[in-house]
Amino acid sequence: MSRIGKKPVELPKGVSASVSGQTIEVKGPKGTRSFTAGDDVTITLDGTTVKVTPRGTSKRARQQWGMVRSMVANLVTGVTEGFKKELEIQGVGYRAAMAGNVLKLSLGYSHEVNFEVPKGVTVASPKQTEIVVEGIDQQQVGQVAANIREWKRPEPYKGKGIRYKDEYIFRKEGKKK
């Protein structure tokens, strides 16, 4: 039995959901998101709660049960609060700045890196050494943050590079004289 799947998802005020077949669409103050579940689970809407139940007792149905419930909960969180990833830039001369829809990164290369921000995500740079990625789709926000971080991952000797806020970088000791 799935402990996650058993809990119903509560819809807060200002959020509406509609179920048609295996597709659930959630509308809220930040936008609209939808998700299509597989045939192993059933999604039902009871007033202000969404319930997910498995169809049968197969292993796949029990696996999908908790996953679909988590996906529906993420839809509700996305349209009400949204998701946010914060990145820090560390290193002498490393900086970021927004120019329209392009994030300009100076990361010690011979050229400036221009990162085109995809649709559905907002990227801001409140300071030269901070980047904030926000959006209503958790997967897309995480992927954009990972793509930005990929340009200069933090290295283990001096810790220079782009890292997630509060990320711990295991530091190595340098050469001994």
Side-chain angles (χ1 to χ4, degrees):
M1 292 282 289
S2 172
R3 287 183 280 181
I4 294 172
K6 280 194 269 186
K7 290 175 63 178
V9 179
E10 294 289 330
L11 298 176
K13 256 187 177 172
V15 176
S16 63
S18 61
V19 178
S20 60
Q22 291 297 99
T23 302
I24 182 168
E25 187 174 307
V26 181
K27 293 179 185 171
K30 291 206 174 220
T32 304
R33 296 274 332 275
S34 64
F35 172 73
T36 304
D39 293 330
D40 297 313
V41 294
T42 305
I43 302 172
T44 55
L45 182 63
D46 298 327
T48 62
T49 60
V50 178
K51 291 184 181 178
V52 180
T53 53
R55 292 183 185 169
T57 57
S58 68
K59 184 174 182 180
R60 181 161 170 79
R62 288 179 290 141
Q63 289 171 340
Q64 295 292 312
W65 187 16
M67 192 272 303
V68 170
R69 191 262 178 208
S70 294
M71 293 296 285
V72 171
N74 284 341
L75 293 181
V76 173
T77 304
V79 297
T80 54
E81 303 163 22
F83 294 99
K84 179 178 174 179
K85 288 269 188 184
E86 295 178 346
L87 300 164
E88 291 179 333
I89 301 175
Q90 288 198 344
V92 176
Y94 291 11
R95 62 183 56 101
M98 284 300 296
N101 196 30
V102 176
L103 178 67
K104 295 187 177 286
L105 299 166
S106 298
L107 300 172
Y109 296 124
S110 61
H111 59 283
E112 200 172 63
V113 175
N114 294 327
F115 182 80
E116 186 83 25
V117 179
K119 205 171 186 180
V121 176
T122 59
V123 176
S125 183
K127 294 182 188 171
Q128 287 186 342
T129 58
E130 285 182 14
I131 302 169
V132 179
V133 183
E134 291 180 303
I136 62 171
D137 186 0
Q138 185 180 26
Q139 192 275 331
Q140 191 179 18
V141 168
Q143 187 63 53
V144 168
N147 291 345
I148 293 171
R149 183 180 185 267
E150 197 65 30
W151 281 103
K152 194 76 160 185
R153 289 179 140 175
E155 52 96 16
Y157 294 100
K158 291 185 180 176
K160 292 166 54 171
I162 303 173
R163 66 175 75 184
Y164 295 110
K165 198 165 196 163
D166 302 327
E167 178 183 6
Y168 176 74
I169 304 299
F170 180 76
R171 302 293 289 270
K172 290 182 179 179
E173 189 176 337
K175 276 185 176 178
K176 298 206 174 153
K177 289 187 177 181

